[in-house]
Amino acid sequence: QFRSIFKDFPYFNYAQSKALDDLLYTDRNFVICAPTGSGKTVMFELAITRLLMEAPLPWLNIKVVYMAPIKALCSQRFDDWKEKFGPVGLSCKELTGDTVMDDLFEIHHAHIIITTPEKWDSMTRRWRDNSIVQLVRLFLIDEVHVIKDESRGATLEVVVSRMKTVQSSLWRLLENHDTPPLRFVAVSATIPNAEDIAEWLSDSKMPAVCLKIDEDQRPVKLRKIVLGFPCSDNQTEFKFDLTLNYKIASIIQTYSEQKPALVFCATRKGVQQAASVLAKDAKFLLSMEQKQRLQRSANSLKDSKLRDLLMYGVAYHHAGMEISDRKIIEGAFTVGDLPVLFTTSTLAMGVNLPAHLVVIKSTMHYVGGVFQEYNETDILQMIGRAGRPQFDTTATAVIMTRWSTRAKYIQMLNGADIIESSLHRHLVEHLNAEIVLHTVTDVTVALEWIRSTFLYIRALKNPTHYGFSSGLDKIGIEAKLQELCLKNLNDLSSFDLIRMDEANNFKPTETGRLMAWYYIAFDTVKQFFTIKGTETLNELITMISNCTEFLDVKLRTNEKKILNTLNKDKDKITIRFPMEGKIKTREMKINCLIQAQLGCIPIQDFTLTQDTGRIFRNGLRVTRWLSDFLASCKNNFSALLNSLILAKCFRCKLWENSLHVSKQLEKIGVSLSNAMVNAGLTSFKKIEDTNARELELILNRHPPFGNQIKESVLHLPKYELDIEQLPKYSDTLAEILVTIKLTNYEQLQTKRTATDFHYVTLVIGDADNQVIFNQKIMDSALLKTGNWTKKIEVKRALKSEDISINLISSDYVGLDIQQVYTAFYLTPKTVGSKVVPNQKMKAESSLGVCYGSPQSLPAAKVDTGGRSKQEITYKKYGNRDCNHRCKNKDVCGHDCCKTGVPPKSEMNADSKFSLYLADLRSRNSISTVPPVKRLKMQMLNQAQNVDLKQFAFTPKSLLALPR
């Protein structure tokens, strides 16, 4: 049954043979340290096979986790194992994006979960509530030497330590049961201290096996050459990199042996420049068949520059290219038609394209706006692409660097660099996560947790690397680690992320839970603690653009022109909130791309499109955290409301007032959405009211496409908001009754366009920026009865009696309802000696249909015994009283209240009734008397009575009948 898994390996090489017994016939934890290209993937497959041999059929409650440092490796492994393990009944799931409910649902049914350390970290932060993690029986760690990486190593270390905690917890709970332990299998490139990794992965019962394979046991013998080139002090890295372009031809001629060569360059632009130089400097001997195949490939390419270069036997490949172009180039290189391929370092981590010769052109690369050295993992991955087991017995890797750094890379290639931990640099976020999980409850437990990490093992052996004195013994080092813990714990406590009592017991706060749940960096949390609470949408976007989560987004020189055009251009559509000056920082680029995406402004540059995707993946998480974070405060209504709107905008990739609402519907992309906007279909109501055939005509689609679109809109939730003031009120308090109705409640019983997790947030605030009420209301709750009602107490604000009532959809633009309502209190508000009357409700429902209306309140009594100034003025001008019922006509804004309105002679009943209706529509204040009663009162006060019967409808046929 398992032969299909190993069909590509008719025999095992030396490394695989040495590992076979321990992997296939025991359950011991295992660490193998071998050169890149030694077939380490087979080690994982042997471990999976062992698990399947031991686990009883059907394999329902077993899960395998494969963890690799980057998404490209995960994708490669997913494609490979889906094909290999599918026939034996195992399903694979790749889990590398942001967590959504669909992912959680799918991995319940997956046997092999392929993920990154960051993704698995966010998952296992909820392991006590999630049975998935407790079902993991085998944990596979690829490229475990990445633990040395300063930016990502800490996450890998914490994840593995947490899985060890899961294992020990289960053992304590199930010690009387025959439950198999969690097994760890880790592979690494050549490192001198692989024993430390094995010690870290050992359990209390049995130490882990550590297998080290020497370089000379590599299936394809690798010759490693480091070439140093002079670089003067006044020569920039850009210029040095350009000079190396003209040395590539001689290196390929010397070392390639007329076999495929792979050249790694520092930047995407550098890849194209180097390929162009080589195409001019060198000529490659190609057979007629190769030329024909290359011509066919060139004809399929979209990139015109690449098309021209391909005919010279040279091409380039990077992540900013069109996917179809990348696939064509990969295919041409794999079959041997393409002699030389220039690429960036990301290819070394991703697509497996081995070559006879690998050249690393310059050991510096451009990261975050500055040049810096490649880390060891990158170098080892790149040279690991040298050697094609099916074609070669030897291979060559050439590193081109400055003369001053030549010795360093010679030492690196000999495997002399010791792997150290970087957890101490990122301890604050991970400690908070463990406290939220209750893994760490006090200082003593914190030290126990530290003992389960790689940091502890290395600190005992090399204390000076972690800032400790070299003369310290084990007790002294543990004391220093405890001191380091306390410093980070105090940082968490100072921002109210945790609480510490006098006995140093820790408890997480709601803010700390949110930080761990949404995987937010400590620096981001610190930034938002400076929030004022009155931030506008524009200000929130600026703050989000400064978040630590976007540090990997770079501003490239060739992007500035496009970004500046998006920011300000008289002749083109630009972003909603333009920034002052030119785009010159990473933060300004992020801000610009966010606004361009939300405004549906097309971005032609593929690299910027990729950056936008990355920004929105992290931004979705950050904005959702922000709205939950702000919900815990009471004096930040404006910021809370705007954060809810922004979180929804990030999810929909549209502004909250966008005309492109149709883009949210299935099968409607940017071009079809533009067609609908051009046709005036800018709201769900307009789309629903349009004939299906007319929709197809607008969109140039065949039936039943129009019916499908109308069906989608028809089954979106439609809300109605009703506000009623209850008779219970005082000088400082009022009580309102808010009712949310699902108007298409019956239709949604059978079919719904929105997901089961769709909800609306009811957020109410006053003129003093205080949050009166904030609650999420699930559609599933509304579907039970069709409505939701809540009594809410409203404290009188100092500035105004206006209340802002907002119903914000979690997933859709175009469904929101926003209103302003004025509450009535027992006494009118006074400003100095003046009395300010209560104003009427103003509806602001530009984002959705406002169905609510305020209920009329009892009129305040007004003394009319004496003659007022207005009455004297009326008589002077010979005018009559106007119909406005302002309580104090001295201070109201109506001219007619002060001077009256001219009398109309021979006014008939029709014109009098019409005048009243017109007056009723135009007035700016509400009478506290219901409209029908007000009409009766007006008619009684006038000398001429109006017979209402004359306004009744009488059919013509009845008029003709004899009386």
Side-chain angles (χ1 to χ4, degrees):
Q1 192 178 22
F2 300 117
R3 284 177 187 168
S4 62
I5 299 170
F6 302 104
K7 65 180 185 294
D8 296 331
F9 298 92
Y11 61 90
F12 288 114
N13 61 35
Y14 177 80
Q16 293 157 355
S17 302
K18 290 278 284 181
L20 184 65
D21 287 348
D22 285 311
L23 281 171
L24 200 56
Y25 302 114
T26 75
D27 289 316
R28 294 176 67 182
N29 294 341
F30 192 88
V31 177
I32 182 165
C33 175
T36 306
S38 301
K40 296 192 289 286
T41 304
V42 179
M43 313 295 182
F44 292 141
E45 291 167 355
L46 285 169
I48 295 171
T49 304
R50 163 71 182 178
L51 175 62
L52 298 180
M53 288 164 58
E54 292 297 307
L57 285 167
W59 299 313
L60 296 176
N61 291 324
I62 62 164
K63 294 201 183 292
V64 178
V65 173
Y66 166 88
M67 195 164 66
I70 60 168
K71 294 178 184 178
L73 277 174
C74 291
S75 297
Q76 186 183 345
R77 191 61 50 239
F78 174 70
D79 292 338
D80 183 24
W81 283 358
K82 185 171 63 173
E83 185 181 333
K84 280 185 177 179
F85 290 107
V88 298
L90 296 186
S91 61
C92 296
K93 170 65 182 172
E94 186 180 358
L95 193 67
T96 54
D98 288 330
T99 306
V100 292
M101 291 298 180
D102 292 345
D103 287 333
L104 292 171
F105 177 77
E106 286 184 41
I107 62 174
H108 268 289
H109 304 283
H111 296 94
I112 301 174
I113 301 164
I114 296 165
T115 187
T116 59
E118 289 78 13
K119 185 61 182 179
W120 194 248
D121 187 16
S122 71
M123 291 284 295
T124 53
R125 287 183 182 197
R126 299 167 239 183
W127 71 268
R128 290 177 189 274
D129 303 319
N130 199 331
S131 59
I132 298 171
V133 182
Q134 298 182 13
L135 294 175
V136 176
R137 296 271 302 276
L138 179 61
F139 202 85
L140 309 172
I141 311 165
D142 204 351
E143 311 290 352
V144 74
H145 55 267
V146 170
I147 201 169
K148 182 183 179 181
D149 189 279
E150 288 193 8
S151 61
R152 311 188 65 194
T155 305
L156 170 60
E157 185 174 345
V158 166
V159 161
V160 175
S161 295
R162 194 177 298 146
M163 292 303 294
K164 290 169 70 180
T165 307
V166 173
Q167 181 190 20
S168 60
S169 298
L170 286 176
W171 269 93
R172 283 195 295 270
L173 289 169
L174 305 169
E175 56 187 353
N176 297 326
H177 297 76
D178 187 19
T179 305
L182 170 64
R183 186 185 192 188
F184 291 95
V185 176
V187 302
S188 166
T190 306
I191 52 173
N193 61 326
E195 295 84 359
D196 291 336
I197 303 284
E199 184 182 345
W200 174 45
L201 293 179
S202 297
D203 58 41
S204 56
K205 298 193 174 183
M206 192 175 292
V209 177
C210 180
L211 179 62
K212 296 178 78 172
I213 306 297
D214 296 332
E215 192 72 31
D216 58 358
Q217 300 297 338
R218 197 177 191 266
V220 178
K221 301 295 180 291
L222 181 63
R223 179 170 55 146
K224 291 175 279 192
I225 298 160
V226 181
L227 301 176
F229 297 91
C231 178
S232 61
D233 293 336
N234 60 353
Q235 192 175 23
T236 64
E237 290 299 335
F238 277 114
K239 287 185 178 178
F240 177 69
D241 194 64
L242 285 172
T243 60
L244 296 182
N245 288 342
Y246 298 93
K247 304 182 188 301
I248 296 288
S250 61
I251 290 172
I252 290 174
Q253 188 177 1
T254 307
Y255 298 108
S256 73
E257 300 176 10
Q258 304 298 314
K259 294 177 180 178
L262 197 58
V263 183
F264 288 102
C265 302
T267 64
R268 296 173 184 180
K269 189 175 182 182
V271 163
Q272 297 176 358
Q273 288 174 337
S276 300
V277 170
L278 183 66
K280 294 174 184 174
D281 290 355
K283 296 210 185 297
F284 297 98
L285 296 173
L286 301 171
S287 68
M288 188 56 67
E289 290 179 0
Q290 281 179 308
K291 287 180 180 178
Q292 288 174 350
R293 286 197 293 268
L294 285 177
Q295 182 65 61
R296 283 198 294 271
S297 298
N299 292 339
S300 304
L301 293 171
K302 295 179 182 178
D303 188 333
S304 57
K305 288 182 184 176
L306 186 57
R307 197 182 303 132
D308 297 337
L309 288 173
L310 193 61
M311 297 315 299
Y312 290 97
V314 178
Y316 54 80
H317 181 292
H318 59 74
M321 292 167 53
E322 292 282 350
I323 295 172
S324 57
D325 285 3
R326 293 207 308 255
K327 294 290 184 187
I328 291 166
I329 296 301
E330 288 165 16
F333 189 76
T334 304
V335 299
D337 290 340
L338 185 60
V340 182
L341 178 60
F342 289 83
T343 185
T344 53
S345 60
T346 50
L347 182 72
M349 288 284 195
V351 185
N352 187 14
L353 291 179
H356 176 76
L357 169 66
V358 165
V359 180
I360 301 175
K361 183 182 78 80
S362 179
T363 52
M364 302 284 281
H365 65 146
Y366 196 66
V367 178
V370 294
F371 269 101
Q372 64 183 41
E373 299 274 347
Y374 282 118
N375 60 42
E376 184 181 354
T377 303
D378 291 336
I379 294 287
L380 293 175
Q381 281 290 329
M382 286 187 274
I383 67 170
R385 291 290 170 256
R388 303 170 299 161
Q390 64 272 48
F391 300 118
D392 300 328
T393 54
T394 61
T396 306
V398 177
I399 296 178
M400 302 169 71
T401 187
R402 289 158 296 167
W403 184 258
S404 58
T405 55
R406 182 173 178 268
K408 171 189 170 181
Y409 287 99
I410 290 172
Q411 183 183 6
M412 180 190 289
L413 293 182
N414 292 332
D417 280 354
I418 291 175
I419 299 295
E420 298 286 0
S421 171
S422 60
L423 177 59
H424 58 296
R425 295 189 181 95
H426 304 275
L427 198 57
V428 64
E429 286 96 352
H430 296 300
L431 262 176
N432 178 65
E434 302 307 323
I435 291 168
V436 169
L437 286 170
H438 305 290
T439 309
V440 173
T441 54
D442 56 44
V443 174
T444 307
V445 177
L447 191 56
E448 285 179 20
W449 175 74
I450 283 284
R451 286 195 188 100
S452 72
T453 65
F454 187 62
L455 169 65
Y456 177 78
I457 289 163
R458 287 306 306 160
L460 292 177
K461 297 182 179 181
N462 187 13
T464 54
H465 180 81
Y466 304 95
F468 308 146
S469 173
S470 58
L472 291 173
D473 59 3
K474 183 178 179 181
I475 295 171
I477 291 169
E478 286 190 350
K480 286 291 183 185
L481 286 170
Q482 183 171 330
E483 191 180 306
L484 180 66
C485 268
L486 280 172
K487 178 189 175 296
N488 285 280
L489 290 166
N490 283 327
D491 288 343
L492 290 170
S493 180
S494 65
F495 285 94
D496 198 37
L497 296 166
I498 63 167
R499 293 207 173 96
M500 299 168 64
D501 59 22
E502 292 177 359
N504 280 337
N505 293 315
F506 313 136
K507 287 189 176 178
T509 64
E510 185 58 28
T511 312
R513 285 191 188 94
L514 291 172
M515 175 182 162
W517 184 268
Y518 286 108
Y519 207 76
I520 302 298
F522 182 57
D523 286 339
T524 298
V525 175
K526 283 200 295 185
Q527 177 192 324
F528 280 99
F529 260 93
T530 64
I531 209 160
K532 301 189 295 290
T534 56
E535 279 74 9
T536 62
L537 215 52
N538 185 16
E539 289 168 335
L540 287 181
I541 290 172
T542 302
M543 291 185 79
I544 281 169
S545 302
N546 286 286
C547 287
T548 309
E549 282 71 13
F550 304 122
L551 282 177
D552 59 340
V553 177
K554 309 165 196 172
L555 175 61
R556 302 174 183 90
T557 307
N558 63 329
E559 296 169 344
K560 290 181 181 178
K561 185 178 178 182
I562 300 170
L563 292 169
N564 283 319
T565 303
L566 288 171
N567 187 41
K568 290 176 185 174
D569 193 309
K570 293 178 181 177
D571 303 321
K572 294 182 181 176
I573 300 171
T574 56
I575 59 178
R576 181 176 177 181
F577 305 114
M579 292 166 280
E580 288 187 12
K582 299 284 187 182
I583 305 292
K584 50 185 178 289
T585 64
R586 175 181 59 83
E587 292 80 8
M588 291 178 82
K589 170 185 172 176
I590 293 165
N591 191 324
C592 189
L593 291 179
I594 288 171
Q595 294 198 57
Q597 176 72 62
L598 296 180
C600 294
I601 304 171
I603 302 170
Q604 303 301 335
D605 187 275
F606 186 69
T607 307
L608 287 176
T609 305
Q610 282 189 316
D611 284 339
T612 305
R614 192 182 303 121
I615 290 165
F616 270 77
R617 275 194 298 275
N618 286 333
L620 182 60
R621 176 167 48 86
V622 174
T623 51
R624 285 172 64 195
W625 164 79
L626 179 59
S627 60
D628 283 356
F629 168 68
L630 292 174
S632 60
C633 306
K634 288 293 180 187
N635 59 343
N636 57 5
F637 169 68
S638 294
L640 172 60
L641 176 60
N642 286 319
S643 70
L644 286 166
I645 290 170
L646 190 59
K648 185 251 296 290
C649 290
F650 264 79
R651 187 169 183 84
C652 301
K653 296 184 179 178
L654 290 172
W655 284 118
E656 84 287 359
N657 57 359
S658 177
L659 302 177
H660 294 79
V661 292
S662 57
K663 189 167 160 280
Q664 302 167 91
L665 302 173
E666 195 179 355
K667 299 179 182 177
I668 300 289
V670 177
S671 57
L672 293 185
S673 177
N674 285 333
M676 286 187 127
V677 170
N678 293 336
L681 303 179
T682 54
S683 71
F684 290 129
K685 183 76 169 64
K686 289 178 181 177
I687 295 169
E688 190 179 336
D689 293 342
T690 306
N691 184 274
R693 304 291 81 80
E694 192 177 333
L695 282 174
E696 288 153 5
L697 195 65
I698 292 165
L699 301 174
N700 195 23
R701 291 291 185 273
H702 297 293
F705 192 82
N707 298 82
Q708 291 168 356
I709 297 302
K710 280 177 67 73
E711 191 79 4
S712 294
V713 175
L714 200 64
H715 291 94
L716 278 172
K718 293 178 180 61
Y719 305 99
E720 187 177 288
L721 182 61
D722 189 70
I723 306 130
E724 177 185 349
Q725 180 156 352
L726 300 175
K728 180 184 175 183
Y729 51 86
S730 66
D731 290 348
T732 56
L733 275 179
E735 194 172 56
I736 60 171
L737 186 69
V738 177
T739 304
I740 299 168
K741 296 176 184 174
L742 207 53
T743 57
N744 56 343
Y745 158 71
E746 292 181 357
Q747 286 174 313
L748 298 183
Q749 296 296 327
T750 53
K751 183 182 176 183
R752 296 195 297 277
T753 301
T755 66
D756 292 339
F757 309 103
H758 180 259
Y759 62 88
V760 286
T761 304
L762 177 65
V763 58
I764 304 174
D766 64 18
D768 292 344
N769 205 36
Q770 298 292 313
V771 178
I772 296 169
F773 187 81
N774 177 32
Q775 185 174 324
K776 292 177 181 176
I777 303 154
M778 298 292 294
D779 279 0
S780 53
L782 288 169
L783 283 165
K784 290 177 183 176
T785 58
N787 62 65
W788 177 95
T789 304
K790 183 77 175 177
K791 285 182 185 178
I792 299 167
E793 271 196 352
V794 180
K795 288 184 180 178
R796 191 170 198 164
L798 296 174
K799 293 182 181 177
S800 164
E801 282 85 13
D802 284 351
I803 305 167
S804 176
I805 302 174
N806 305 270
L807 196 66
I808 309 296
S809 163
S810 62
D811 294 3
Y812 287 93
V813 163
L815 298 182
D816 298 353
I817 299 175
Q818 294 186 271
Q819 286 182 214
V820 175
Y821 182 89
T822 303
F824 179 83
Y825 297 92
L826 192 60
T827 57
K829 182 182 173 186
T830 57
V831 179
S833 60
K834 293 185 178 179
V835 178
V836 181
N838 288 300
Q839 298 298 311
K840 70 174 281 184
M841 187 275 302
K842 294 159 281 188
E844 297 177 356
S845 54
S846 58
L847 303 181
V849 180
C850 170
Y851 298 92
S853 60
Q855 304 301 310
S856 297
L857 300 170
K861 293 181 181 178
V862 181
D863 183 13
T864 56
R867 286 163 61 86
S868 66
K869 285 191 289 183
Q870 282 82 9
E871 192 175 345
I872 296 166
T873 310
Y874 300 159
K875 300 297 180 186
K876 178 181 176 182
Y877 291 106
N879 292 343
R880 64 178 178 80
D881 189 0
C882 71
N883 289 329
H884 290 133
R885 298 188 61 82
C886 300
K887 292 169 187 169
N888 189 341
K889 297 202 175 191
D890 288 324
V891 296
C892 79
H894 306 125
D895 290 336
C896 56
C897 287
K898 299 173 181 60
T899 61
V901 291
K904 287 196 178 180
S905 57
E906 299 178 3
M907 181 182 286
N908 60 30
D910 283 355
S911 63
K912 192 167 190 62
F913 189 77
S914 301
L915 177 65
Y916 176 75
L917 290 177
D919 191 32
L920 190 66
R921 291 191 194 100
S922 65
R923 68 185 49 179
N924 294 319
S925 61
I926 265 191
S927 170
T928 51
V929 180
V932 175
K933 189 175 179 181
R934 193 186 320 135
L935 179 61
K936 289 178 180 178
M937 287 168 60
Q938 166 122 10
M939 292 180 173
L940 287 170
N941 289 336
Q942 299 299 329
Q944 181 180 353
N945 289 325
V946 179
D947 183 8
L948 292 176
K949 290 181 180 179
Q950 63 184 300
F951 298 109
F953 172 74
T954 308
K956 289 183 180 179
S957 57
L958 293 177
L959 291 173
L961 293 173
R963 294 183 183 274

